[in-house]
Amino acid sequence: MRRLMLSLASLVILSTPAFATGGFSCAVSDENVTFEGEAGFSYSLGGILNFRGAIALPKDLAQKGLDKKVTLDQSSLTHHWLHDGELRLLVHVESGENQPFAALDFVMMTKAGEDDIGFEGTYTLKIEGADLDEPIRREGKIACSVG
């Protein structure tokens, strides 16, 4: 009987799922935007943990309220996807209080390379502002590492 109880206890312990975690880091710096972002994630639950980073626009694209380097946190990450060799992020930022309306959306879509660590893809940037008749749109390339 003791052996049976020990076997059952071992089976319960071994059948508990493992919650492995990893992380990613992405960056781009070109004529349209400077972006860096990083976070941890859970392989088993699919959640992004502790997203943080920064985004800055060049003077010719920056709208008032978004004309300085903006610190990003979890609330800036409005959508994410990390599944089946794809990493996608949507970062949304708006100007602060007592500022004219300005907003930017930074969307990146990357795919894993052959090593499953390097991810490469594209980003799109949309900038809106109180002084703009139409949104400014830009595109470029971005790279990430995932591990």
Side-chain angles (χ1 to χ4, degrees), residues 71-144:
T71 301
L72 306 173
D73 61 23
Q74 194 75 28
S75 67
S76 310
L77 185 62
T78 57
H79 188 72
H80 63 273
W81 173 274
L82 178 58
H83 178 71
D84 199 22
E86 292 184 337
L87 172 60
R88 298 178 179 205
L89 303 178
L90 167 55
V91 174
H92 179 80
V93 178
E94 293 185 4
S95 55
E97 292 182 29
N98 302 320
Q99 298 282 337
F101 172 76
L104 72 80
D105 287 323
F106 181 85
V107 180
M108 55 162 267
M109 297 185 289
T110 64
K111 290 191 175 200
E114 290 182 22
D115 62 2
D116 285 332
I117 295 173
F119 281 56
E120 292 186 1
T122 60
Y123 72 83
T124 58
L125 177 66
K126 180 175 96 173
I127 304 162
E128 299 176 273
D131 297 332
L132 296 174
D133 293 332
E134 301 217 0
I136 299 170
R137 298 177 190 274
R138 298 288 189 269
E139 298 179 349
K141 301 213 180 277
I142 190 165
C144 302

Side-chain angles (χ1 to χ4, degrees), residues 32-34 55-59 61-63 66 68 104 125 127:
N32 301 318
V33 66
T34 299
I55 193 163
L57 299 171
K59 289 183 181 188
L61 298 180
Q63 300 299 298
L66 297 176
K68 294 183 172 65
L104 72 80
L125 177 66
I127 304 162

Side-chain angles (χ1 to χ4, degrees), residues 14-44:
L14 293 174
S15 65
T16 303
F19 296 109
T21 59
F24 69 82
S25 175
C26 303
V28 63
S29 184
D30 62 17
E31 67 276 359
N32 301 318
V33 66
T34 299
F35 168 83
E36 52 192 42
E38 61 183 18
F41 60 84
S42 167
Y43 279 104
S44 56

